[in-house]
Amino acid sequence: MAGSVVGITALVTSIVLIGGPLGVIGLALGVLALRTAKRTGVGRAGAITGVVASCVAIVLSALMAVFFVWYADNTQECYQPDSFRQYTECVHHQLTEG
């Protein structure tokens, strides 16, 4: 049960990169729950939910981290704008022309 709760929480928060570490914790808890379910025969569905949600959260967090690094690298010239409009124009220029 704890593995699925942490895994689903990790999945929901993976966009803001918090899901990566939570996903690792959820994966560990899910694997432990799978071992317990194998022994007792109870809780297999929740354990599988935790493992799958945690794995997806880890992958999404990694992809978001790569995207944030790529975005920062391609728009670093735009970080000292005078206005938000200037910033958006700079970002648009950097991403389409760059």
Side-chain angles (χ1 to χ4, degrees):
M1 180 68 173
S4 62
V5 170
V6 174
I8 292 170
T9 303
L11 187 59
V12 171
T13 60
S14 62
I15 298 282
V16 291
L17 303 178
I18 297 168
L22 284 177
V24 172
I25 294 167
L27 184 61
L29 290 173
V31 169
L32 289 173
L34 275 175
R35 288 183 182 170
T36 303
K38 185 176 183 180
R39 224 180 8 178
T40 63
V42 179
R44 183 166 169 78
I48 291 173
T49 301
V51 169
V52 170
S54 296
C55 288
V56 172
I58 292 167
V59 169
L60 280 176
S61 289
L63 289 174
M64 289 305 296
V66 168
F67 171 74
F68 286 145
V69 168
W70 173 82
Y71 182 83
D73 185 51
N74 285 308
T75 61
Q76 67 187 14
E77 293 177 12
C78 303
Y79 292 143
Q80 299 292 331
D82 292 332
S83 68
F84 183 71
R85 182 173 180 221
Q86 217 176 12
Y87 171 76
T88 57
E89 288 174 1
C90 180
V91 168
H92 179 73
H93 176 72
Q94 291 295 322
L95 296 180
T96 57
E97 306 290 328

